[in-house]
Amino acid sequence: MKRPTAYLAGIGKYAPTRILKNADFAAMGIDTTDEWIVQRTGIRERHIADATETNTSMSERAARIAMERAGVQAGEIDVIVLGTASPDRLLPATAVELQAALGAKRAAAFDVMAACSSFLYGLIVAEGLMQSGAAETCLVVGTEKLSSIVDWKDRSTCVLFGDGAGAAILKRSRGGRGILSTFFRSDGTLAELLWRPGGGAALPFDEQVLQDRSFYIKMEGREVFRHAVRSMTEATDRALDGAKLTGADIDLLIPHQANMRIIEATAKHAAIPMEKVFVNVDRYGNTSSASVAIALEEAQASGRITDGMNVLLVAFGAGFTWASLVIRF
Ligand code: UT7
């Protein structure tokens, strides 16, 4: 196990106040039931941004809370790494809009696009920049306005996703706490199982894209499910190995919140009992890049994480991408 370079000095989150419950889909003309959604996913409700809320505004609110908790001013931030699959614009990066909103004048700001693994990828990138000496204080954000990119006519996806943002300030470690191990991988051969085929440079936005609705999220749910379980179990093993720990040493597992059945399978594989697993998929749905960040904030704010605890983060998403970290708080 290496000596930790970076620790999470402050964590914040923001979720839109508007809540969409499973029962509300019927009134929207979507052929689904509360029973189907709860049984297949564990989701009961999700937060949905209003027209005025953007990734920039949501992540600004999350970041300001993280900064206050870490005692960090905007001018002290060296790097902003923002993960999102639903950027406010295709150009420039949402990270620079956040930088401007925060007034983080010294920062270099850029987006990472690793779908649901983005927040974990962001932590790993930021830690690497701190190890190299390029940065001392980093802001890592996961944010999504997925309601703007889901197809509200496709019941197999629109019931799954939600909006929100989470943020963490990374500072240089002291006293052995911080990121103990990291692992990340990708497999681009499987990209078409979960993607937005149209609207980018390969298939620019035009009448056809509009007609095919190919700029919205398309997912082969059952196949994605299979890969999610396999990859998240691999990732938990690799992060535990890296930290020279076993499931028994983990005080809290915070997995990506996509589906209760995937969460249970991941915990079972790592021999971590469900009492040591943080779950909020019932109240947020799948918020992709924001998922683990929001869960981390809720776990800490509710007292589930205390000093000295070993916390395992694990995620899987479009790409495919998967990642994990063990962090000592
Ligand atoms: O975040 C990144 C990664 N994403 C994930 O991890 C998601 C992984 N996948 C999943 O969580 C699950 O595959 C889903 C929740 C998306 C779907 O659950 P499933 O048990 O795999 O169901 P399915 O896609 O195989 O569909 C079963 C049936 C189908 O009907 P038939 O063909 O059996 O008659 C669907 O048409 O359920 C139907 N169905 C629905 N019924 C009611 C699909 N969506 C709905 C719906 N309401 N919303």
Side-chain angles (χ1 to χ4, degrees):
M1 184 175 65
K2 64 186 175 60
R3 274 172 63 86
T5 305
Y7 82 104
L8 278 61
I11 302 165
K13 73 149 197 304
Y14 174 77
T17 51
R18 184 179 158 214
I19 289 175
L20 187 67
K21 293 181 178 297
N22 290 350
D24 298 334
F25 286 110
M28 297 162 67
I30 296 162
D31 180 18
T32 189
T33 60
D34 176 54
E35 190 190 6
W36 189 95
I37 302 169
V38 172
Q39 267 181 13
R40 302 286 176 131
T41 71
I43 300 166
R44 294 182 184 278
E45 59 188 40
R46 69 288 289 141
H47 295 254
I48 300 291
D50 68 27
T52 66
E53 285 172 312
T54 61
N55 283 298
T56 304
S57 69
M58 291 190 293
S59 55
E60 183 190 354
R61 294 178 78 151
R64 286 197 186 281
I65 294 167
M67 288 158 58
E68 195 189 324
R69 289 177 176 168
V72 163
Q73 305 293 318
E76 295 172 63
I77 298 170
D78 299 311
V79 173
I80 299 174
V81 189
L82 182 145
T84 188
S86 53
D88 282 348
R89 294 172 223 290
L90 295 182
L91 191 74
T94 304
V96 298
E97 298 205 45
L98 174 61
Q99 176 198 19
L102 291 173
K105 294 201 173 83
R106 293 178 46 221
F110 56 94
D111 289 0
V112 294
M113 159 78 101
C116 307
S117 310
S118 294
F119 180 68
L120 280 69
Y121 268 56
L123 291 175
I124 293 168
V125 168
E127 188 212 24
L129 291 169
M130 291 171 70
Q131 275 167 355
S132 78
E136 286 296 312
T137 303
C138 297
L139 169 62
V140 179
V141 172
T143 180
E144 297 291 0
K145 190 174 175 182
L146 295 172
S147 58
S148 65
I149 62 164
V150 300
D151 187 346
W152 290 97
K153 290 187 186 333
D154 175 8
R155 70 173 182 172
S156 72
T157 52
C158 75
V159 302
L160 304 175
F161 297 106
D163 299 333
I169 291 285
L170 263 61
K171 291 212 289 198
R172 198 160 284 279
S173 250
R174 265 176 275 129
R177 64 180 174 152
I179 298 172
L180 301 184
S181 68
T182 61
F183 169 77
F184 61 162
R185 282 286 184 282
S186 312
D187 184 352
T189 65
L190 301 168
E192 294 178 17
L193 294 175
L194 175 48
W195 65 336
R196 294 175 70 196
L203 199 57
F205 197 89
D206 64 5
E207 291 282 317
Q208 194 63 43
V209 167
L210 191 61
Q211 204 178 317
D212 298 343
R213 307 180 73 76
S214 65
F215 53 96
Y216 291 128
I217 295 175
K218 310 280 176 208
M219 178 167 75
E220 300 292 333
R222 199 168 284 190
E223 274 297 291
V224 173
F225 187 101
R226 217 164 50 79
H227 287 283
V229 172
R230 186 193 299 162
S231 301
M232 283 175 62
T233 55
E234 181 202 2
T236 57
D237 287 348
R238 297 296 292 270
L240 287 172
D241 288 350
K244 301 214 178 344
L245 299 175
T246 69
D249 301 311
I250 295 300
D251 299 296
L252 192 66
L253 168 65
I254 304 185
H256 172 46
Q257 308 283 317
N259 184 312
M260 193 59 199
R261 292 181 291 142
I262 299 174
I263 294 172
E264 285 168 350
T266 305
K268 190 173 172 200
H269 172 84
I272 297 173
M274 284 307 289
E275 306 86 76
K276 291 187 175 178
V277 181
F278 192 83
V279 175
N280 65 8
V281 68
D282 52 327
R283 291 178 291 113
Y284 287 89
N286 181 348
T287 58
S288 190
S289 304
S291 161
V292 174
I294 290 173
L296 192 56
E297 193 281 339
E298 286 204 327
Q300 196 173 43
S302 66
R304 297 268 314 259
I305 299 177
T306 51
D307 283 356
M309 278 191 171
N310 293 323
V311 177
L312 172 57
L313 311 182
V314 59
F316 170 84
F320 290 139
T321 60
W322 57 106
S324 53
L325 293 91
V326 175
I327 303 173
R328 179 160 302 148
F329 276 83

